[in-house]
Amino acid sequence: MKSNTILLFMLFAVFFTSCQDELNVEPRQREDASITLSTEEGVTNVLTGTYALAANGNAYGGRILVYADLLGATGVTATTDFRFRGTFGELRQMYIKKMLADNVIITGTYSRCYEIINAANTVIDNISKVKDPAKQARMIGEANFLRSLAYFDLVRFFAKPYVSGQPNNQLGIVIRDKAIYDFNVDLSKERSTVAEVYKVIIDGLNLAYTNLPKDNSFYADKYAAKALLARVYLQQGNYALARDAADDVIKNSGHSLSTKYADAFNHDTDQVEDVFAIQITKQTGTNDANTFYAAENNGGRGGDISIRDPYLEKFTDPNDDRANFNYINPANDRLLTLKFTNQFGNVGIIRLAEMYLIRAEANFQAGTAVGNTPLDDINILRTRANAQKLTAVTLDAILLERQFELAMEGFSIHDIRRTKGSIDVSGDGDGSELLSYDANVLVFPIPILEMDANKKITQNPGYSK
């Protein structure tokens, strides 16, 4: 990583007194790391600071979700489901598939994810300062969860997709397995392979699942780790393991679907459907999903990303709540999603509905019915949305249900990649210009600042430096 990366973790002493209370943030950037890391309190604060890093807008405070949706959009065509009309040129590059290596938004996310990884590594390296074995285990579990989460999104955005049944020996991302305390030394390192990165992610999540308790307030718990494992396995095309992980979460986590579809969104405290969410308050974190999706009177920019008719036309049941889960911004007549209308609402990272979709798809692909049949799982979600039940289910129907249920929640490009789909980028939407799921332009460039500082790293194909 570049030598001038924001050092270590931007230490915070953050104290959560209850799910309802705001976070009291006391910056301690000036405290020497050797002093901070010599005490149990200091190491505990580093872990809490890791969550604070994740809550930044350019990480899990929303932008990582937005990136996936912009990359998965068809661009300026007649068939696009969603349209980007914002003034951020860096985001427009993602939308039109013409990214540059000096894109400062991409650079910010790259750096932020590695800060999360480094802070998590710092907790693990200094865990001996924590005396209680149970607390040690929990903190190691949380650190591994956060590190795996960051690695997973780095490898999905900055590397070619994992392809089931192949060696996956193409370049992934740089693995940093130890904490870095001195950024003035040469930290040059080549990227590991995609397969190697996925192994680190999966090993970390399995350790987190073992170490974490079932209940851990609004921090990562055992079933947040298992739910993320289900997502990782599905991305790999490992349907048996994805199915079993999702089934475990559905049966044993204690989470359930919200009674109404609308109840799954725009809340300040975790609800029953939230398997893992990033906590946002007026004092810490940024809900950038709300920033780019919401109208001005809901704390957004007026709807930089708006819904278009092609998305609505996919719904065949007019009573489906998900087809009607939108509103018109009176300031500009743009049709906007109702998923993000709370500027200080938590950013949902994993909700239980996704686990039903994973179990349905994985069971269908594996020809099994572990936990439930694919048809019944899909109909559970459709019933919750007041949509008519299906009488039979196909893979296409399951994938379409993912679009209905999870649209604008950061799944688009990742689903296109793992299903080997394509993106129409033709001017009139006639299908004459299709981008394959593994096209070079769908992979983020390694930032120029990293290329300048890291003498060993290789740039992604299609970028000059």
Side-chain angles (χ1 to χ4, degrees):
M1 291 174 63
K2 59 186 185 295
S3 59
N4 63 345
T5 296
I6 298 174
L7 184 62
L8 212 53
F9 33 65
M10 297 194 307
L11 271 175
F12 290 98
V14 185
F15 304 98
F16 298 96
T17 56
S18 74
C19 292
Q20 289 75 29
D21 289 345
E22 294 178 349
L23 295 90
N24 300 310
V25 182
E26 175 192 347
R28 292 187 179 178
Q29 291 94 330
R30 292 187 177 89
E31 183 172 274
D32 185 83
S34 63
I35 297 174
T36 300
L37 299 175
S38 65
T39 67
E40 177 172 328
E41 179 187 13
V43 177
T44 301
N45 286 340
V46 173
L47 177 60
T48 309
T50 312
Y51 285 97
L53 287 171
N56 274 269
N58 61 4
Y60 296 97
R63 287 195 197 175
I64 281 179
L65 281 64
V66 170
Y67 301 162
D69 293 338
L70 290 178
L71 274 180
T74 57
V76 188
T77 76
T79 60
T80 185
D81 289 349
F82 311 102
R83 185 173 180 179
F84 178 78
R85 290 187 280 193
T87 57
F88 279 75
E90 296 85 358
L91 295 178
R92 178 161 291 277
Q93 290 177 19
M94 301 176 196
Y95 181 57
I96 65 175
K97 320 300 182 268
K98 293 182 180 179
M99 292 172 288
L100 302 176
D102 63 353
N103 185 309
V104 295
I105 286 181
I106 290 175
T107 299
T109 295
Y110 183 89
S111 297
R112 186 72 66 195
C113 285
Y114 273 109
E115 289 165 18
I116 294 168
I117 290 165
N118 200 50
N121 283 337
T122 302
V123 173
I124 295 168
D125 285 359
N126 293 276
I127 200 65
S128 62
K129 306 301 190 302
V130 177
K131 302 307 178 185
D132 178 35
K135 185 177 180 180
Q136 266 196 15
R138 176 182 58 77
M139 291 177 64
I140 290 173
E142 289 182 64
N144 272 277
F145 172 85
L146 292 167
R147 183 172 64 178
S148 291
L149 180 65
Y151 273 137
F152 186 44
D153 283 303
L154 282 169
V155 77
R156 289 197 295 175
F157 282 115
F158 290 92
K160 288 295 184 76
Y162 188 102
V163 180
S164 178
Q166 294 187 10
N168 293 290
N169 54 9
Q170 67 270 35
L171 288 177
I173 56 171
V174 174
I175 294 174
R176 300 288 185 184
D177 53 3
K178 295 292 183 182
I180 301 169
Y181 304 97
D182 183 359
F183 289 89
N184 294 312
V185 301
D186 186 3
L187 299 171
S188 297
K189 189 177 183 182
E190 179 58 291
R191 299 154 63 183
S192 297
T193 67
V194 168
E196 290 168 338
V197 176
Y198 267 82
K199 183 179 187 308
V200 168
I201 294 166
I202 291 169
D203 287 349
L205 291 174
N206 277 318
L207 178 60
Y209 179 76
T210 299
N211 279 26
L212 287 171
K214 179 177 179 179
D215 297 307
N216 196 24
S217 183
F218 45 77
Y219 300 105
D221 61 24
K222 177 182 295 292
Y223 291 103
K226 184 55 70 81
L228 186 54
L229 264 173
R231 184 183 291 180
V232 172
Y233 287 139
L234 187 71
Q235 197 71 37
Q236 287 185 307
N238 191 332
Y239 298 115
L241 291 180
R243 172 201 64 202
D244 293 347
D247 185 57
D248 187 10
V249 177
I250 293 168
K251 288 181 175 177
N252 301 313
S253 68
H255 292 284
S256 60
L257 294 176
S258 300
T259 303
K260 298 178 181 178
Y261 185 67
D263 294 343
F265 308 97
N266 299 306
H267 41 258
D268 300 319
T269 58
D270 285 358
Q271 301 298 304
V272 67
E273 190 167 333
D274 290 312
V275 180
F276 182 70
I278 292 293
Q279 309 298 303
I280 304 295
T281 75
K282 293 180 180 180
Q283 288 185 309
T284 189
T286 303
N287 188 331
D288 261 352
N290 194 84
T291 299
F292 294 107
Y293 278 113
E296 295 90 340
N297 59 0
N298 288 325
R301 286 170 42 84
D304 283 359
I305 305 173
S306 57
I307 301 170
R308 298 186 73 248
D309 287 344
Y311 176 70
L312 300 177
E313 290 166 358
K314 293 180 179 181
F315 290 88
T316 57
D317 188 339
N319 297 317
D320 193 326
D321 290 341
R322 299 165 300 185
N324 304 306
F325 202 59
N326 48 63
Y327 66 106
I328 295 177
N329 181 3
N332 54 24
D333 292 328
R334 294 176 186 175
L335 187 65
L336 309 180
T337 178
L338 279 165
K339 289 187 175 182
F340 306 105
T341 59
N342 183 351
Q343 183 178 1
F344 302 109
N346 293 342
V347 178
I349 304 299
I350 309 172
R351 58 188 181 91
L352 192 68
E354 181 192 352
M355 296 299 106
Y356 280 95
L357 288 161
I358 289 176
R359 188 170 71 177
E361 182 179 345
N363 264 321
F364 187 91
Q365 293 278 22
T368 56
V370 172
N372 209 351
T373 66
L375 177 62
D376 286 344
D377 271 343
I378 294 301
N379 280 334
I380 286 171
L381 297 178
R382 291 183 64 83
T383 298
R384 193 264 293 266
N386 292 313
Q388 187 175 8
K389 289 184 178 181
L390 302 179
T391 57
V393 73
T394 63
L395 179 59
D396 285 345
I398 294 171
L399 296 177
L400 184 60
E401 201 68 26
R402 282 183 69 89
Q403 293 182 47
F404 294 163
E405 183 71 28
L406 303 176
M408 294 157 287
E409 295 181 55
F411 291 91
S412 180
I413 190 61
H414 306 310
D415 282 348
I416 289 170
R417 285 177 152 189
R418 69 180 182 78
T419 60
K420 299 182 181 180
S422 60
I423 298 174
D424 181 4
V425 293
S426 58
D428 59 3
D430 64 2
S432 61
E433 296 180 46
L434 296 178
L435 284 178
S436 173
Y437 71 97
D438 60 351
N440 291 341
V441 295
L442 297 180
V443 180
F444 281 179
I446 303 299
I448 282 180
L449 288 176
E450 175 73 282
M451 297 298 300
D452 288 343
N454 189 337
K455 302 179 182 65
K456 296 181 180 179
I457 198 167
T458 300
Q459 181 59 279
N460 280 320
Y463 299 100
S464 58
K465 184 176 181 180

